[in-house]
Amino acid sequence: MSLKEKIRQYQDLILAVVVLAVYVHLSFVVTVKCPVRWLTGISCPSCGLSRAVFALCKLDFAAAWAANPAIFYLIPVAPVLLIAYLRKAKKLTNVLLWITAGVLIAVYLYRLLVLHSPVLEAD
């Protein structure tokens, strides 16, 4: 298989890595807290996930929950989603992506409308 074919085969994964690299660059080098909020002025459903990951790295479960409760869904689902994608299980990948989108949106709306979470407030 040629390099061009391999790139075409994994173009979605390559795009995700590039987007993640841009996010890391904006977050740490340029010190933009949230690229979506920086560009649009509106928090996104994934707002607080970076803080939740860092809190989990410190084993601070309460801080992770406060930053974004969806992290406790995403941690176990992410490896399953990656494996399903790499094995080309398109049906499972699509189902997991739709469920993940639903979880993120549901948590976002709950935090926005019920909790009035300070994570989602404007800077």
Side-chain angles (χ1 to χ4, degrees):
M1 181 181 293
S2 72
L3 179 62
K4 192 173 187 177
E5 290 171 337
K6 284 185 179 184
I7 290 172
R8 186 172 290 137
Q9 181 181 4
Y10 293 108
Q11 68 186 7
D12 295 338
L13 189 58
I14 293 167
L15 178 64
V17 170
V18 168
V19 168
L20 183 62
V22 169
Y23 169 75
V24 168
H25 175 74
L26 286 173
S27 296
F28 296 108
V29 177
V30 186
T31 65
V32 171
K33 291 181 185 176
C34 175
V36 173
R37 182 186 255 173
W38 180 66
L39 288 170
T40 66
I42 301 168
S43 297
C44 66
S46 65
C47 194
L49 281 177
S50 297
R51 283 170 276 184
V53 168
F54 292 133
L56 281 179
C57 289
K58 298 176 187 174
L59 299 178
D60 188 351
F61 298 107
W65 182 267
N68 194 330
I71 193 67
F72 294 101
Y73 165 79
L74 293 172
I75 293 293
V77 167
V80 174
L81 186 56
L82 181 62
I83 291 168
Y85 173 79
L86 292 174
R87 291 192 174 183
K88 299 183 184 347
K90 290 187 179 202
K91 195 171 193 173
L92 178 60
T93 302
N94 287 337
V95 167
L96 287 174
L97 285 173
W98 280 105
I99 292 171
T100 300
V103 166
L104 285 171
I105 291 169
V107 169
Y108 176 72
L109 290 174
Y110 180 75
R111 292 166 65 208
L112 185 67
L113 301 173
V114 177
L115 296 180
H116 305 288
S117 176
V119 172
L120 303 177
E121 292 176 2
D123 291 332

